[in-house]
Every structure is written in structure tokens, then in C-alpha cells.
Amino acid sequence: NAGVTQTPKFRILKIGQSMTLQCTQDMNHNYMYWYRQDPGMGLKLIYYSVGAGITDKGEVPNGYNVSRSTTEDFPLRLELAAPSQTSVYFCASRQGQGRTEAFFGQGTRLTVV
Amino acid sequence: GESVGLHLPTLSVQEGDNSIINCAYSNSASDYFIWYKQESGKGPQFIIDIRSNMDKRQGQRVTVLLNKTVKHLSLQIAATQPGDSAVYFCAENNYGQNFVFGPGTRLSVLP
């Protein structure tokens, strides 16, 4: 059981480039989340999804886009990378239906130069 | 607005002692609260949760206390071990769909 898998683990982007951070889960969870974590800080919610075809903005959505075409996958898209997007990105999933435990991926460390 | 914060950014304890990590919250409407542990280079890992209608919940070596009067949450770790060294986050439920995380407390266990 792989849980939540994120790719890539590390990436360096130049300003203005675009990329997609991949996230997939094999637990058939309804809820999926994208967070960013800046050094020495907590996690800020970027986007979340309560099921396939449904997405919504979190605290810091500007500069990002998401899609949820399947239950398993929840990719995060950066269209025009900026230095302010340098961070560690975590994807998480949760079953919902009263279950509180969220499972996190190992993270993607992104540097924009 | 909603916020979840921690009283202390760092905490150092001797191995074998008990640790107490504190958290303040402001949204009295939160339904439940969760503690996560994050080891270096890894994603957060669920430790324990507590619903707003409870005052105390115990797990294996951990106890979470909720004081709704002063909007305070704490995580107690008994007989702290080197493997407990990590950053600990509290998070509060936000209308059942997502969570607001605090900035975290770094726990260092001294030999």
C-alpha cells in the first residue's frame, strides 16, 4: 500500500517556467489537499478537493491551479513560476465521512531562481 | 479570523521526561483538533485527534487536553524518547473539509 505519492521530490525552476506537481493516492480517499510549507513555518492550504470533479481554493491559491479528474490523482499546476513560490509542497488525502486522519506525501521541494 | 498558534517555537526536554506542547486557537466553532508530528524531510504524520465535546483523550504515550474556556490545546508525551524529536503541529478543523495549521513547535530530546 503506497499511500500518497508525490513526484518529483526536488525541482529547480527558472522564473516564468511552468510545471505540474503530481500527487496520487491509492486509498480511495474522497478528500485531497495541497499545502505549501515555507522554512520554519506551518502548512498553508493552496487548494483542496472533496471528490472527483470538485475543487476549491484554500488560503493561498494565487499562482496555482488544480484539477481532479479521478479519485486517485490531484495534480498542482504552476503556470508562471515566481521566487515567492519557492517552498516545500505537500499533498494529502483523507477519507472523510467523520475520519479526521490525513495522510501526507513525502513532499516536493521546489526552488524558483 | 481563524488562527491556530503555538505558545513556544522550541522545546528541549531530557530523555525520559514528559513533554508538554501547547497550542492556542481562536475559532470556537471548530469541531475537532488534531496533532501532527513532522520528522525532518518527511510529511506530517497523524498522532491523535480530539473532538470539541471532549476534554481529554489518551493514546499510546500521548495525551491531548482541550480547554475550551481559554481556547487552549496541549499534547503531552510521556517518557520522551529520542525518536520523539520532531516538529509538532496542531491543526483545527475548518467546517469539516479542511484544516488550519499552527506554525509548529520543535521538540528536541536531550540525552
Side-chain angles (χ1 to χ4, degrees):
Chain A
N1 191 339
V4 179
T5 303
Q6 290 183 236
T7 57
K9 288 185 171 54
F10 304 92
R11 183 72 185 268
I12 298 175
L13 278 182
K14 294 184 178 178
I15 295 172
Q17 286 186 321
S18 61
M19 77 165 294
T20 298
L21 282 67
Q22 301 291 344
C23 176
T24 187
Q25 53 95 5
D26 61 1
M27 297 172 283
N28 201 33
H29 285 173
N30 293 317
Y31 293 78
M32 295 189 75
Y33 308 87
W34 274 107
Y35 291 91
R36 59 175 287 172
Q37 184 177 32
D38 297 331
M41 303 293 287
L43 289 87
K44 297 291 187 182
L45 181 65
I46 305 172
Y47 272 95
Y48 68 98
S49 169
V50 300
I54 306 169
T55 63
D56 210 343
K57 296 178 180 179
E59 302 172 71
V60 290
N62 291 342
Y64 307 95
N65 278 299
V66 294
S67 60
R68 184 95 182 269
S69 58
T70 66
T71 299
E72 295 78 18
D73 300 308
F74 191 42
L76 178 71
R77 180 82 176 164
L78 283 71
E79 291 294 349
L80 291 171
S84 61
Q85 293 177 306
T86 294
S87 191
V88 180
Y89 291 84
F90 288 101
C91 179
S93 73
R94 182 169 70 93
Q95 181 177 1
Q97 298 175 335
R99 298 292 297 273
T100 64
E101 181 177 2
F103 295 82
F104 284 79
Q106 292 294 298
T108 295
R109 184 175 296 274
L110 175 66
T111 302
V112 182
V113 296
Chain B
E2 302 165 0
S3 69
V4 177
L6 293 171
H7 293 306
L8 295 172
T10 60
L11 177 66
S12 296
V13 298
Q14 292 292 137
E15 182 177 353
D17 287 352
N18 296 335
S19 302
I20 299 176
I21 301 171
N22 296 306
C23 178
Y25 67 93
S26 62
N27 184 5
S28 57
S30 290
D31 186 38
Y32 52 89
F33 305 86
I34 305 174
W35 282 100
Y36 283 91
K37 172 186 180 183
Q38 186 178 26
E39 296 176 282
S40 181
K42 297 183 178 181
Q45 184 177 17
F46 176 91
I47 301 173
I48 191 169
D49 65 0
I50 186 168
R51 293 204 173 264
S52 59
N53 61 356
M54 301 171 66
D55 298 323
K56 179 180 180 179
R57 190 171 186 208
Q58 289 184 293
Q60 187 176 9
R61 278 201 311 118
V62 296
T63 300
V64 58
L65 300 177
L66 177 62
N67 185 331
K68 292 180 286 294
T69 302
V70 295
K71 296 180 183 175
H72 183 268
L73 186 70
S74 69
L75 178 71
Q76 301 178 2
I77 304 174
T80 310
Q81 303 169 359
D84 295 326
S85 293
V87 176
Y88 290 81
F89 294 96
C90 65
E92 63 178 311
N93 167 249
N94 183 2
Y95 305 112
Q97 294 179 334
N98 54 55
F99 303 88
V100 176
F101 282 81
T105 293
R106 181 174 298 281
L107 175 65
S108 296
V109 181
L110 307 174

